[in-house]
């Protein structure tokens, strides 16, 4: 959980918007309840549960 909080803090602070690895962003979105969908092996996030 600490890693997710660090990723969120990194994004919200605005200090490193361009340097957030895709895998970190993916983990954060999944933890926030977004559903991952794939098209032709390319992941994207479509909706949030709830």
């Amino acid at each position: 959980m600490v890693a997710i909080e660090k990723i969120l803090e990194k994004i919200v602070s605005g200090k490193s918007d361009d340097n957030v690895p895709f895998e970190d962003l993916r983990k954060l979105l999944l933890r926030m309840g977004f559903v991952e969908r794939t098209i032709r092996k390319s992941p994207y996030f479509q909706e949030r549960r709830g």
Side-chain angles (χ1 to χ4, degrees), residues 27-39:
K27 288 177 189 176
L28 177 64
L29 291 173
L30 288 172
R31 180 69 72 153
M32 292 176 72
F34 283 82
V35 178
E36 183 177 24
R37 309 248 187 228
T38 56
I39 294 180

Side-chain angles (χ1 to χ4, degrees), residues 6-46:
K6 286 183 181 180
I7 295 167
L8 182 59
E9 184 178 326
K10 186 177 182 181
I11 293 170
V12 172
S13 72
K15 294 179 182 176
S16 56
D17 291 343
D18 295 338
N19 298 319
V20 178
F22 177 78
E23 189 59 30
D24 288 349
L25 181 60
R26 179 182 169 273
K27 288 177 189 176
L28 177 64
L29 291 173
L30 288 172
R31 180 69 72 153
M32 292 176 72
F34 283 82
V35 178
E36 183 177 24
R37 309 248 187 228
T38 56
I39 294 180
R40 298 185 197 138
K41 299 181 184 178
S42 296
Y44 72 95
F45 291 86
Q46 182 178 16

